[in-house]
Structures are given as C-alpha cells and as structure tokens.
Amino acid sequence: MPELNSRQISQLPPLAAIRVFEAVARHLSFTKAAEELGMTQAAASYQIKLLEERVGAPLFLRRPKQIVLTEAGQRLAPSVSEAFALLSGAYAAARSGADGVLCVSTLLTFASNWLARHLGSFQVAHPSLAVRLDTSNRLVDFAREDIDIAIRSGGGTWPGVEVHKLFNADFTPVLSPALAASIGGVKEPADLLRLPILDPGDIWWRDWFVAAGLPVEELAKRPGTSMGAQAYEANAAIAGQGVAIVTRALFKAELADGRLIQPFDLVGDDGHAYWLVYPQARRNVPKIRAFRDWILAEIARQQAG
C-alpha cells in the first residue's frame, strides 16, 4: 500500500468536508445528508463549498428539486466511499481481530434452517468469537450499521460488496404426508388444486404453476394469506395446513425424515441464489475471513455429501 508523506497529507481537504461530500453523494440530497450527520443544511452546503474551492471545480449540479454529481464529483465519489470503508475496516480489525463479536445479517429462514443447525462447528473452531444474528429481509447499509457480514437472496449484483454464492434459491411444492393422503395421494400437479395453497400470492407459485401447466388464475381464487418467511410456511405445511413452496436446501432434514414430502421432480429456478456478502474493503478482517472460510467449506461439504 502506498505511503503518504507530510506534504501529501497537508494538501488534503478537511475531513469534515469529505465526510459531508460522501453523505451528499450517497443520498443526492443536502437535506438527508445533513440529517444523517446531525448538522444544518446550511452547514452541509458550506462544507461542500469549501471542498469545491479546494478541488477547483463544482462537485454537484443544483437543479430544481434535485442535485446530481458533476463529472468531477463522479470521479471523486467512489474513491471517497472506498476510503471511508477502508477506515471502518481498519478500525474494526484493530478493535477485535478474530475475537469479539461477529454481527451477521441474515434472512429468517436461512438463520433458523441452516445457520442454527451448523453454527456450532464454527463456535468450536472460534470460541472467542461470539456470533450475533440480525434476522431481516432488508438490505443492510454496511457503512452505517453495525453489521459485519450478510446473507442475502437475489441475483448477486450488489455494488461495493464481495459476493460468494452459497446455493441456488430454487423452489418446489412440499406438504405433509398426512395432507397428501387426505385426497388419496398427490400424483399429478393438478391434485394440488384440491388442497390449500400457502401464500398463493408468492411469485414462485405463479412460476411453478406455469411450468407445470396449471391455470395461474386459480391462485387468485385462494385466500391471500402470507406468513412472510419460508420457515413459517413450512411449519404450517408440516402441521397439515396446506402446501408450501420452498427452497429444498433449507429443508433437507424435514424432507429426509418424512415430515415433508416433495411430490414432484419439477423445480423452479428464477436465477436467484443465496449469497454471502461483505464490504470489499473489509475482506481481510480476521473475523470476516474466518466466517467466510468456514461457511464456504461447510456448504461444499454438505453438497458433496
């Protein structure tokens, strides 16, 4: 990494101005940036003016009801964001190393059906590192929240983060053996129309119905109850309350011991997957590296088995 000399450091603009620029560039709003930083809009504008004087060029174009980055602002913004991320990573590494607390943001079903069943081996390998799970569907802001690493579902194209694919988020119907037996067995996709459908508004159901040749309009006739997570819907399915549509990799135990059955080989795939993500600038923080190496190895071992 290149070293700065005293002359280069003295030429840097005030850190306060750079901090304001990063927030304004991220929000594209002086008002929101000022609220985030706990200052007035006038103070934020003043800091940007100081920075523009040092740069020698405008950084924002002020338009009615909006602002946009100028060409100079567009060149500066990514490097400033990366610099703050590097500072955050360096501080976290100095503070905790491979010890302390690892904060993981994850989807509820992944937490309950995968992490909870495998995390013990990580804790054995890293007894001085406590893991705190934050279960949420939202995308966390690593720069503003106390989150070290996240597990997300989607296409894997999020800017500013390292991504590692864990497994595909495929989907297929599952139900309890007792519910299937209640209609003499589920032998063909049309048999599902004789049973309650859990969360019929889920786009996965529509995609699977199309692939199976079933009339999609039948879904709109069902009660639009939504439980908000595969874990809840699978529990309802185990209790015989209806047919759920889930990702098989998250319910291997339930399928293996017969609490749930997968009546058809037809599996939907919309290109989404489960991903491990963390800020690019923090990829070498010891606790992040330890969790990354563990979960990728654990996933590979599970898939090989």
Side-chain angles (χ1 to χ4, degrees):
M1 181 178 293
E3 295 183 0
L4 291 174
N5 56 43
S6 58
R7 181 172 180 273
Q8 289 173 312
I9 292 175
S10 66
Q11 292 176 338
L12 290 173
L15 182 60
I18 299 175
R19 186 165 174 245
V20 171
F21 170 76
E22 189 279 331
V24 175
R26 178 159 39 83
H27 290 293
L28 289 179
S29 167
F30 282 94
T31 302
K32 291 181 180 179
E35 289 175 353
E36 177 182 302
L37 299 175
M39 60 173 57
T40 65
Q41 183 176 340
S45 298
Y46 176 71
Q47 291 296 333
I48 295 300
K49 181 181 178 182
L50 289 179
L51 186 59
E52 288 176 331
E53 290 176 354
R54 292 289 292 268
V55 172
L59 299 173
F60 296 96
L61 291 177
R62 282 75 166 175
R63 295 176 177 172
K65 297 185 179 181
Q66 68 170 340
I67 61 170
V68 295
L69 286 162
T70 63
E71 184 176 343
Q74 291 175 6
R75 289 196 302 268
L76 183 60
S79 297
V80 168
S81 295
E82 183 178 1
F84 276 109
L86 283 169
L87 281 171
S88 176
Y91 171 72
R95 181 185 61 187
S96 60
D99 300 329
V101 177
L102 177 75
C103 299
V104 182
S105 173
T106 178
L107 303 168
L108 185 148
T109 300
F110 193 95
S112 65
N113 286 51
W114 199 95
L115 272 179
R117 298 173 181 180
H118 296 82
L119 198 55
S121 64
F122 178 77
Q123 297 283 218
V124 169
H126 302 278
S128 60
L129 180 57
V131 177
R132 179 171 64 82
L133 299 183
D134 176 73
T135 55
S136 172
N137 290 333
R138 65 187 177 80
L139 298 183
V140 300
D141 183 349
F142 287 110
R144 295 288 172 249
E145 299 181 53
D146 188 20
I147 298 293
D148 298 301
I149 203 163
I151 293 161
R152 294 176 178 170
S153 175
T157 55
W158 300 286
V161 295
E162 294 280 344
V163 299
H164 301 274
K165 185 177 180 180
L166 301 178
F167 49 76
N168 289 335
D170 60 22
F171 47 91
T172 194
V174 296
L175 71 162
S176 71
L179 184 62
S182 72
I183 60 168
V186 177
K187 303 178 180 64
E188 58 184 18
D191 290 334
L192 297 182
L193 300 178
R194 301 162 58 194
L195 296 169
I197 300 292
L198 299 172
D199 195 2
D202 190 331
I203 188 64
W204 282 358
W205 272 121
R206 182 188 180 282
D207 291 349
W208 195 89
F209 264 44
V210 169
L214 296 177
V216 174
E217 58 270 17
E218 286 294 323
L219 293 170
K221 300 176 183 178
R222 306 301 182 100
T225 302
S226 175
M227 299 184 185
Q230 290 186 57
Y232 299 147
E233 289 155 13
N235 279 337
I238 290 170
Q241 299 300 303
V243 187
I245 192 161
V246 303
T247 297
R248 296 171 300 167
L250 294 174
F251 297 92
K252 286 189 173 183
E254 291 83 354
L255 290 165
D257 64 21
R259 283 177 289 164
L260 289 173
I261 59 173
Q262 177 189 336
F264 309 111
D265 292 332
L266 178 61
V267 175
D269 188 344
D270 58 6
H272 287 185
Y274 287 90
W275 305 83
L276 180 75
V277 302
Y278 49 86
Q280 293 172 340
R282 302 195 65 202
R283 59 187 176 273
N284 290 320
V285 172
K287 62 182 179 180
I288 291 178
R289 188 170 63 241
F291 189 83
R292 176 193 65 210
D293 293 348
W294 167 78
I295 196 170
L296 293 179
E298 191 74 9
I299 291 285
R301 184 188 65 78
Q302 187 180 47
Q303 291 175 342

